[in-house]
Amino acid sequence: MKAYYTKNKAIISNPYQPARCCIAAMATIFLLITPTAFAHKLNMFAYVEGDEIFAEGYFTDGKKAKNSTITVFDPDNKQLLQGTSDDDGQFTFAIPQQSDLRITVNAGMGHQAEYVLLKDELSDETGIAITTTSQPSNTTSDITSNNNDPQTTALPPIATRIENGAIRAEVERAVGKAIKPLMRELSTMRAEKSLADIIGGVGFIFGLFGIAMYFKSRKQP
Amino acid sequence: MHISDGILSAPVLIAGFIGTAAVAAYTLRQLDLDDIPKVSVITSVFFVASLIHIPIGPSSVHLILGGLVGVVLGIRAFPAIMLGIILQTILFGHGGVTVIGVNTMMLGGGGLMAYAVWQLRHHFNINKKEMIFGGLAGAMGIFSAGIVLALSLVTTGEEFIATAWYTLIAHIPVMIIEALVVGSCAAFLARVKPDALAGQLPLVTPIPAPATTTTTEATKASNEDSPK
């Protein structure tokens, strides 16, 4: 007990020690309280649903990029269309053409992010959408006009085909809906940086200045 | 407060790099061996500050601390901020590689302007001037960075006055918080470790220096006198 007391007294008697301890403690608390630290970085995310493209801009702290300009470019950097996002930071538009699309969102004050939708993502989705809408109508018109008599033989395959189309569209919608939060989670995770990265950056700074100091000290005898 | 990739035009980006290289070359020459530990600590403070978010209500802010860097490091603030920005870009994707030059001019220039404001305190003889001018310097760091931001956005076709107003109004809360933080830091340092602050030495030492030399001469003289 006495040893502790004298120790404490010795620390306090040094004028710089309490301040230093205080700063160190504050720094550690500060770092521990905010385990996931990130900045006001704008992110952009776009996905195809049916024959429409949903584009969404958001900041890493979860705020949506409202009223920001969303522009779509083709691979040759030609502007295809432009629009303004709604209160949820979303902008929906029909697929302008079958090619890679570069979508940028500009939230003003120098914040801009971009997202590239590949042609595969477009054509795959729309291909299904087209088959689901066109095939059943063709086949149904076929049955009604040509085959009136033997419903028992003709119907099952056609019915399953129709059902297949409907099911496919339904599944697509359901999967799209289920994946949506996952995709959002993924893109935020990609944007977030952990504490380890920050500490790594600080290490870089000390390391670089250490190198600078080494060379400086060799120059000055 | 970073400009992203793909907004500014090539001439502006190149001008940013040239300006940054020139100012960095000049300020790095002023960097002495003794300064390096201090500069590295403040650089890491700057680097970390803008990565940590402080939630305020539904929104959140992060400090920028360009003003603090200016107050503590003087013109050495520029290379410090430059390194901080480079690392923020590489590790966190803040801004972008092509805009490192413009971003450094923006925030590093803010640091230099903050230092200029901080130096004005020598012309005033008031209580708590470290607190007041530290606060003003903190606000100045953000203010001038906002002006540069607006200026560089003009080149993209955004209207200057409107953008400048919008940017400055959006940053008023940041300016207030920054002023409080930098002001209290400056006051704290002035009390605990005054030589840690930039711009202290030139005005503090020359005045006592002749006095001390005269006293030592006087004591020397008296010492020389006494044996006789």
Side-chain angles (χ1 to χ4, degrees), chain A residues 38-41 61 110 112 216, chain B residues 4 31 51 53 60 92-94:
Chain A
F38 36 74
H40 283 157
K41 190 178 173 246
D61 64 348
Q112 180 164 307
K216 276 252 176 190
Chain B
S4 310
L31 192 66
L51 299 173
H53 266 206
S60 65
F92 293 91
H94 263 210

Side-chain angles (χ1 to χ4, degrees), chain A residues 16 31 34 37-41 61 63 109-112 193 197-198 201-202 205-206 208-209 213 216 220, chain B residues 2-4 6-7 31 33 36 39-40 43-44 47-48 50-51 53 59-60 83 87 91-94 153 192:
Chain A
Y16 289 112
L31 286 174
T34 50
F38 36 74
H40 283 157
K41 190 178 173 246
D61 64 348
K63 253 195 314 191
M109 288 198 290
H111 291 290
Q112 180 164 307
K193 294 291 175 176
D197 284 302
I198 294 183
V202 173
I205 291 168
F206 285 141
L208 287 171
F209 277 109
M213 208 162 174
K216 276 252 176 190
Q220 294 176 357
Chain B
H2 290 76
I3 301 178
S4 310
I7 292 183
L31 192 66
L33 187 63
I36 289 181
V39 177
S40 71
T43 307
S44 34
F47 170 74
V48 172
S50 54
L51 299 173
H53 266 206
S59 177
S60 65
L83 182 60
L87 284 175
L91 297 177
F92 293 91
H94 263 210
L153 286 178
V192 177

Side-chain angles (χ1 to χ4, degrees), chain B:
Chain B
M1 206 189 235
H2 290 76
I3 301 178
S4 310
D5 259 337
I7 292 183
L8 300 177
S9 57
V12 180
L13 296 174
I14 292 165
F17 273 112
I18 291 172
T20 298
V23 181
Y26 174 72
T27 49
L28 275 172
R29 278 173 185 276
Q30 315 288 316
L31 192 66
D32 294 331
L33 187 63
D34 301 339
D35 298 328
I36 289 181
K38 196 171 89 178
V39 177
S40 71
V41 170
I42 298 299
T43 307
S44 34
V45 168
F46 169 78
F47 170 74
V48 172
S50 54
L51 299 173
I52 292 180
H53 266 206
I54 305 144
I56 293 178
S59 177
S60 65
V61 294
H62 66 81
L63 297 172
I64 297 171
L65 293 187
L68 181 70
V69 181
V71 164
V72 178
L73 296 183
I75 60 167
R76 294 164 201 90
F78 196 85
I81 289 174
M82 181 177 71
L83 182 60
I85 285 176
I86 291 173
L87 284 175
Q88 283 171 353
T89 305
I90 295 172
L91 297 177
F92 293 91
H94 263 210
V97 176
T98 56
V99 269
I100 284 176
V102 176
N103 280 334
T104 308
M105 287 308 282
M106 183 169 84
L107 293 173
L112 296 181
M113 290 301 288
Y115 175 57
V117 169
W118 170 243
Q119 288 297 72
L120 289 178
R121 76 192 184 287
H122 297 307
H123 303 294
F124 293 86
N125 201 2
I126 43 173
N127 275 349
K128 296 190 171 183
K129 60 180 180 181
E130 277 85 7
M131 183 83 163
I132 292 162
F133 281 91
L136 288 176
M140 186 64 194
I142 308 290
F143 180 81
S144 72
I147 294 289
V148 176
L149 176 70
L151 263 179
S152 54
L153 286 178
V154 173
T155 58
T156 66
E158 286 189 42
E159 199 199 335
F160 175 66
I161 303 292
T163 315
W165 271 116
Y166 185 60
T167 310
L168 289 177
I169 287 167
H171 283 91
I172 281 175
V174 186
M175 270 197 258
I176 292 170
I177 294 168
E178 198 97 331
L180 290 174
V181 170
V182 179
S184 46
C185 277
F188 177 75
L189 282 173
R191 201 159 44 87
V192 177
K193 205 173 178 346
D195 53 321
L197 292 164
Q200 292 283 81
L201 293 171
L203 275 186
V204 174
T205 44
I207 302 159
T212 48
T213 47
T214 48
T215 50
T216 47
E217 274 169 20
T219 48
K220 257 186 192 171
S222 62
N223 283 346
E224 278 168 12
D225 280 348
S226 53
K228 281 175 188 174

Side-chain angles (χ1 to χ4, degrees), chain A:
Chain A
M1 204 58 199
K2 208 181 175 187
Y4 271 119
Y5 178 71
T6 47
K7 239 185 182 173
N8 281 342
K9 209 174 176 188
I11 287 170
I12 289 162
S13 63
N14 184 344
Y16 289 112
Q17 214 64 29
R20 232 179 261 169
C21 289
C22 199
I23 290 171
M26 268 165 63
T28 36
I29 289 167
F30 201 33
L31 286 174
L32 288 176
I33 286 174
T34 50
T36 48
F38 36 74
H40 283 157
K41 190 178 173 246
L42 180 63
N43 288 292
M44 161 101 208
F45 176 60
Y47 56 95
V48 183
E49 203 175 276
D51 50 0
E52 281 188 323
I53 296 174
F54 278 84
E56 191 181 327
Y58 58 94
F59 292 94
T60 20
D61 64 348
K63 253 195 314 191
K64 306 293 183 196
K66 295 175 192 174
N67 294 325
S68 41
T69 316
I70 290 179
T71 319
V72 184
F73 296 94
D74 70 354
D76 302 324
N77 266 336
K78 215 179 75 190
Q79 185 181 322
L80 295 174
L81 59 99
Q82 196 171 47
T84 311
S85 63
D86 58 9
D87 282 352
D88 291 327
Q90 283 190 341
F91 176 60
T92 314
F93 55 95
I95 293 174
Q97 67 177 47
Q98 295 293 322
S99 68
D100 290 357
L101 295 175
R102 193 165 66 85
I103 306 166
T104 65
V105 55
N106 188 332
M109 288 198 290
H111 291 290
Q112 180 164 307
E114 68 170 45
Y115 189 91
V116 177
L117 264 180
L118 297 175
K119 193 182 173 186
D120 299 347
E121 294 172 48
L122 297 178
S123 56
D124 203 359
E125 291 274 350
T126 46
I128 293 165
I130 287 162
T131 47
T132 46
T133 48
S134 61
Q135 245 182 10
S137 61
N138 279 346
T139 42
T140 40
S141 62
D142 279 347
I143 337 156
T144 44
S145 55
N146 296 345
N147 308 344
N148 281 333
D149 38 317
Q151 288 194 347
T152 44
T153 49
L155 231 165
I158 294 162
T160 47
R161 273 172 83 184
I162 296 168
E163 259 178 21
N164 267 345
I167 285 168
R168 235 167 135 181
E170 197 54 50
V171 164
E172 198 179 291
R173 200 172 305 137
V175 168
K177 211 173 173 183
I179 279 180
K180 222 167 167 181
L182 274 178
M183 283 174 122
R184 187 161 306 157
E185 187 70 23
L186 204 70
S187 49
T188 28
M189 268 173 74
R190 197 183 52 193
E192 277 177 20
K193 294 291 175 176
S194 63
L195 186 60
D197 284 302
I198 294 183
I199 292 170
V202 173
F204 262 111
I205 291 168
F206 285 141
L208 287 171
F209 277 109
I211 293 168
M213 208 162 174
Y214 172 72
F215 282 107
K216 276 252 176 190
S217 65
R218 287 215 315 182
K219 264 188 215 160
Q220 294 176 357

